Amino acid sequence: MTSPLLNVQNLVTRFYSDGAVIHAVNDVSFSLNAGESMAIVGESGSGKSVTVMSIMRLIRHPPGRIEGGKVFFEGQDLLAISEDEMRKIRGNRIAMIFQDPMTSLNPVLSIGLQMTESIQLHLGLSLKEAREKAIKMLSLVGLPKPQERIDDFPFQFSGGQRQRVMIAMALSCNPTLLIADEPTTALDVTVQAQIIELIQGLQQKLGMAVIWISHNLAMVAGVVNKVAVMYGGHLVEQAPVDALYEQPRHPYTLGLLNAIPKLEGRAQGRLVAIDGMPPDLRREPDTCPFAPRCIYALDKCREALPPLTQSAPGQLSRCWRSDELDQIANKVELS
């Protein structure tokens, strides 16, 4: 059996601030095969971005620290290698599209200079060759007149164009894994659809694996093979995309699905909100983090943290009631 491209095992990341410990990522494990796509979803503060930043070893210390776990990429533990070795992988074999294209580009450097620097560093090309490669990548992502625009500065591009530049930069060294952290943030819905379609097309063309980070379950439905749901720094459910939407096995996933607007409109009733507030991440993660907001919670949920166990073939859930959730809640159907 072929080993996964990426295998994250029991990842733990903490932040230390003003005498408090922020339990940002707690014992997170998942794997991803070559050419596969997955989404990590959850509300703000659930630990999605910190998880992938830990994989990339971009957690700033202080205040952050990766305190446990292993991250195997192509068989190599990224948490055990030197920073120099990690630099050869970061931006080369693993690339990342950061969340906000408006602030991710250096405003005082042309996009050509920003792109060619990375290409020269990782691929060992001359400046002329790197520039030709950058123009080719800008053309690949659909930027008009790349030969003319390569010397322009970020402020001369629209939001959607900046995001295309970010994608071109991420793909310029032919990565085997692309991490897209909320790649459609601050873009209108038409441009969002274009960016999603672009990344999907490039994934098929280049054969790379993709991790999508999003708070929008509706957006990733037709984009990925499997979904990991995070809440309060924990991975609370993981499943093939069809199984997750047809029969969610965690109340938080069910709540997210119920909050998605339906195409039928008002006839289907009002959206169902998840009552309560997100968990206090300063608290030791020793009970179910969703219990205070869960309408199905038992006393046991407030006393012990449920393990992540298989609730159905290929489907994992961190819930004491995962086996009976379909009996005590209405099934969610997406239009």
Side-chain angles (χ1 to χ4, degrees), residues 7-21:
N7 187 9
V8 179
Q9 300 177 1
N10 309 111
L11 182 65
V12 177
T13 301
R14 302 278 185 263
F15 290 89
Y16 295 83
S17 177
D18 297 328
V21 180

Side-chain angles (χ1 to χ4, degrees), residues 215-274:
H215 62 275
N216 189 345
L217 268 173
M219 186 275 284
V220 302
V223 175
V224 300
N225 304 114
K226 61 184 179 182
V227 180
V229 181
M230 290 194 68
Y231 182 80
H234 296 270
L235 197 157
V236 296
E237 184 165 5
Q238 180 177 316
V241 62
D242 291 339
L244 185 102
Y245 286 88
E246 290 173 5
Q247 192 170 22
R249 295 284 184 164
H250 194 281
Y252 178 60
T253 309
L254 185 62
L256 292 178
L257 291 172
N258 278 330
I260 297 174
K262 307 298 188 296
L263 293 179
E264 291 87 348
R266 297 194 175 198
Q268 298 299 310
R270 299 179 62 182
L271 297 180
V272 180
I274 302 176

